[in-house]
Amino acid sequence: MSVAVLGAGAFGTALAISLAREGHDITLWARSEKQAEIMQKDRSNSARLPKATFPLTLHISADLDTIKEHQTLLIAVPMQQLARFIADHQNHLAHKTLVACCKGIDLTSGLGPSQVILSALPDAQTAILTGPSFAHDIAAGLPTALTLACTDPTLGTTLQNELSTSNIRLYRSTDVTGAELGGALKNVIAIACGAAIGAGLGESARAALITRGYAEMQRMAEALGAKPETLAGLSGFGDLALTCASEGSRNFRFGLSLGRGETFDPNITVEGAATAQACHEKAKTLGVEMPITAAVTAMINQTLTLKQAMDSLLARPLKEETC
Ligand SMILES: NC(=O)C1=CN([C@@H]2O[C@H](COP(=O)(O)OP(=O)(O)OC[C@H]3O[C@@H](n4cnc5c(N)ncnc54)[C@H](O)[C@@H]3O)[C@@H](O)[C@H]2O)C=CC1
Ligand SMILES: O=C(CO)COP(=O)(O)O
């Protein structure tokens, strides 16, 4: 086992803890030396994941030279930081197996995580790890099942075995586009659901948004050549169910604030906000109908109020229930 986790936020820390609990030596890299020192001293990440204690086999470092010996690198930085992260550390990342753990579409390029990596490092071996998983659940040892998608089935199988732990059951897929889209788009729908609940529109509205949101996700997936069954799996439907139903989700909580007309802490990672914008642009270019994504984008950009957004969704022409 030769794994390092790059990015010491909530998710990177949780993954590193789960892997280290298996008894493997795991390095967790943080970009800030000070943060690394504090985590090393406290044996916890009090800023992002305060309740979890680090296993003895978890090593903390802010020096990328310490990951030289590791072949598999899990990258757990926010999506809109990924391109910069890869550009800044190309030398250390070349010739490694890079498993993206982020969810979203890059606003500048319109690309998902694997393509962002490959556009800077065309020879890299890449995969995506995604699915329903709150960092605090994983760190607490609670069980979940995730998708590990890799276009190379042999490498995918190796990574599936390498990264499964006693509380993370990995399912394998070769549909990277579908897995990435599921993880990206569910956050947009979670914002819509949070907004509906925050505005007091009720549980029926939430269920309708989840279902029609899922139809939008399927349409975009089809337009981009992803398999519908991938969207029906853990990375799509599974994560949609978790994120739209729980205040544990930052995207859902961001939506709640929108619905209540409250401000939201800009330091909290909300992947769905930029991804809504990126997906809305892509949908326009491809001619894919995504009215909920358009409404979320307009609410975030403050070009529509929540009431106007809901009115526009309800006033759409009546149609047969299809994807
Ligand atoms: N928190 C969760 O429950 C889950 C998060 N994810 C995904 O994991 C990704 C990361 O999310 P979190 O860890 O929750 O975010 P977070 O906000 O807790 O942490 C982000 C971390 O990335 C670091 N970072 C930001 N820019 C960087 C850069 N340029 N270079 C190096 N490090 C940088 C920050 O210092 C911070 O430690 C997101 O795409 C998210 O959707 C996926 C599943 C669960
Ligand atoms: O992706 C997640 C759960 O699978 C975490 O969701 P949030 O980023 O909305 O907190």
Side-chain angles (χ1 to χ4, degrees), residues 161-175:
N161 288 314
E162 192 175 28
L163 302 175
S164 287
T165 69
S166 51
N167 69 320
I168 304 178
R169 177 175 166 79
L170 294 185
Y171 285 81
R172 201 172 61 241
S173 168
T174 52
D175 183 9

Side-chain angles (χ1 to χ4, degrees), residues 148-168:
L148 185 288
C150 180
T151 49
D152 174 348
T154 307
L155 177 61
T157 304
T158 303
L159 291 170
Q160 179 184 31
N161 288 314
E162 192 175 28
L163 302 175
S164 287
T165 69
S166 51
N167 69 320
I168 304 178

Side-chain angles (χ1 to χ4, degrees), residues 285-302:
T285 309
L286 295 171
V288 178
E289 217 184 347
M290 299 191 81
I292 299 172
T293 303
V296 168
T297 307
M299 281 192 296
I300 292 171
N301 293 342
Q302 299 186 324

Side-chain angles (χ1 to χ4, degrees), residues 7-12 29 31 35 48 76-79 81 84-85 89 101-103 131 133-136 187 250 267 269 271:
F11 196 44
W29 174 84
R31 68 174 157 173
Q35 189 200 359
R48 302 283 183 178
V77 301
M79 185 63 209
Q81 300 295 326
R84 161 60 63 90
F85 172 80
H89 304 298
C101 304
C102 28
K103 297 178 180 175
S133 51
F134 285 140
H136 51 86
N187 282 333
R250 298 162 295 190
N267 296 313
T269 300
E271 294 286 35

